[in-house]
Amino acid sequence: GAETIHFELDGLKSSNLTKGHRFLSPAAFQVRDITSYMNLLENNYVILDQEKRRKIIQKNIATLFNSPDIQPVIDEELLEIVNYIVEYPVPVLCSFRSEYLRLPRELLITVMKDHQKYFGVQDSNGNLLNHFVVISNTKAENAETVRIGAERVIKARFDDAKFYFHEDIAKPLAERVEGLKDVTFHDKLGSLYEKTERITAIAGFLSEKITQSLKNKVARAARLSKTDLITGVVKEFPELQGIMGKYYATHDKEDSEVATALEEQYLPKNYGDTVPQTDIGAIVGLADRIDNISAFFSIGLVPTGSEDPFALRRQA
């Protein structure tokens, strides 16, 4: 209630004094009772209730767009992160040069999300637009300052992504296969090249049993399946593995089903995710998982009741 509990911890003494927002209300003030605590903080630019903060973020983002044809790309994981790194959320609509839209959509969104915690913006058809939303931690009248800073930073980030992407497409995936010899998959299981050889053999066996007419395409997809792991973009953003492989294979004019399989090999990524829609993607994905399970079991790395560091149960 209204009682102050006095104690000391590592030289810090408790009291009935607190502070509001670090920049907007840095002076100390007194808390008289717990019932007025949240309102008191809110008057000093701190929204304490995380659910209220989340609703404010969602509602105020929506008010930025006058047209139903323009909408933010709401990523629930990003929304959760942003909700816990701001005290006084105020969304600011920013933009970037449209030339960056020539880069893959997933790359742009990942740069905005991972590096800057920005939300992308798309049209009603799901096409990315040259806008983004920043959730600032300051008053609305500071929006212009926030916008200028955010647009300057995102330009630098996109320039880095553009550099990596153009460096990557300069060398076809097929020419990267030999480079897999220099990357260790596991010290007891050899290189990524050796893993690729095993995946190719298993996928070949499966395609003979399942769909012989696709065995050449399956072999090609299996051969290229891990090549994007040594590209600049995927080294920077590992979560884009497979996705970038598809873009690079398409650029290299590989068969469209082969390109699609490079992305689908990792599906489903989690419970409830979509499964491969092509037989080639399914076969390469199965081959990869069969190799992982049998290879790790063969060297004694078997899941226990409490440990499964290579996620073999999920792969099974």
Side-chain angles (χ1 to χ4, degrees):
E3 183 184 355
T4 303
I5 310 299
H6 294 284
F7 64 93
E8 184 175 332
L9 182 65
D10 290 337
L12 298 174
K13 295 181 179 180
S14 70
S15 75
N16 61 349
L17 295 178
T18 190
K19 295 181 179 181
H21 191 286
R22 181 179 175 187
F23 300 114
L24 302 179
S25 182
F29 55 89
Q30 192 176 82
V31 179
R32 298 192 181 278
D33 55 65
I34 201 65
T35 55
S36 62
Y37 179 52
M38 293 177 76
N39 288 336
L40 197 57
L41 278 178
E42 194 162 330
N43 291 338
N44 288 272
Y45 303 100
V46 176
I47 310 296
L48 183 61
D49 185 335
Q50 64 265 26
E51 287 306 315
K52 185 174 182 178
R53 275 200 315 274
R54 176 189 283 266
K55 289 176 182 176
I56 288 172
I57 292 170
Q58 291 174 309
K59 178 183 175 183
N60 291 350
I61 285 180
T63 62
L64 293 175
F65 305 98
N66 298 321
S67 169
D69 295 329
I70 303 176
Q71 52 198 345
V73 180
I74 297 298
D75 180 299
E76 287 299 322
E77 182 183 30
L78 178 57
L79 180 60
E80 182 80 356
I81 292 169
V82 169
N83 189 34
Y84 283 97
I85 61 175
V86 295
E87 294 177 313
Y88 191 73
V90 176
V92 179
L93 183 61
C94 309
S95 62
F96 55 85
R97 295 207 306 260
S98 57
E99 67 182 72
Y100 293 118
L101 293 174
R102 291 196 284 266
L103 295 172
R105 169 194 169 93
E106 293 89 345
L107 176 56
L108 295 175
I109 288 179
T110 301
V111 170
M112 288 189 277
K113 175 184 175 180
D114 284 11
H115 278 314
Q116 302 304 130
K117 309 299 180 283
Y118 298 163
F119 293 91
V121 177
Q122 63 186 6
D123 64 20
S124 56
N125 295 318
N127 299 310
L128 207 61
L129 302 174
N130 63 320
H131 300 288
F132 61 96
V133 177
V134 181
I135 307 300
S136 74
N137 196 32
T138 185
K139 290 187 284 190
E141 47 261 45
N142 297 326
E144 188 58 27
T145 302
V146 171
R147 183 182 298 109
I148 292 170
E151 290 179 352
R152 184 174 65 247
V153 170
I154 206 64
K155 178 185 181 300
R157 295 297 191 185
F158 282 165
D159 281 339
D160 287 345
K162 181 180 176 182
F163 171 79
Y164 283 127
F165 181 72
H166 286 294
E167 285 280 298
D168 290 344
I169 61 175
K171 185 176 183 179
L173 291 181
E175 294 181 15
R176 294 182 181 274
V177 175
E178 287 295 311
L180 296 174
K181 292 179 178 179
D182 300 324
V183 183
T184 301
F185 171 60
H186 187 278
D187 58 359
K188 293 183 178 179
L189 297 172
S191 65
L192 273 180
Y193 181 87
E194 290 170 289
K195 176 172 177 58
T196 298
E197 294 282 282
R198 296 195 299 270
I199 292 174
T200 303
I202 297 168
F205 173 83
L206 292 174
S207 62
E208 283 282 350
K209 300 290 184 183
I210 299 169
T211 173
Q212 288 193 14
S213 62
L214 293 175
K215 66 180 183 180
N216 290 335
K217 291 182 181 181
V218 167
R220 184 65 173 176
R223 182 80 172 159
L224 301 177
S225 61
K226 303 305 173 189
T227 50
D228 70 335
L229 298 181
I230 55 175
T231 61
V233 168
V234 177
K235 285 179 182 177
E236 185 74 10
F237 303 106
E239 64 268 44
L240 292 179
Q241 64 180 13
I243 295 171
M244 295 312 300
K246 178 181 177 180
Y247 279 106
Y248 296 145
T250 301
H251 177 270
D252 297 344
K253 295 183 170 51
E254 294 284 349
D255 183 274
S256 60
E257 289 183 292
V258 170
T260 299
L262 298 190
E263 178 180 12
E264 289 189 335
Q265 65 176 307
Y266 295 106
L267 299 179
K269 294 181 179 179
N270 46 55
Y271 178 78
D273 193 16
T274 56
V275 297
Q277 298 302 299
T278 68
D279 287 344
I280 300 173
I283 289 171
V284 175
L286 282 168
D288 188 12
R289 289 165 175 81
I290 289 170
D291 174 63
N292 284 339
I293 295 166
S294 57
F296 283 116
F297 266 72
S298 75
I299 59 173
L301 293 177
V302 179
T304 65
S306 60
E307 291 187 356
D308 185 12
F310 299 100
L312 300 184
R313 286 194 190 90
R314 181 166 61 84
Q315 292 185 64

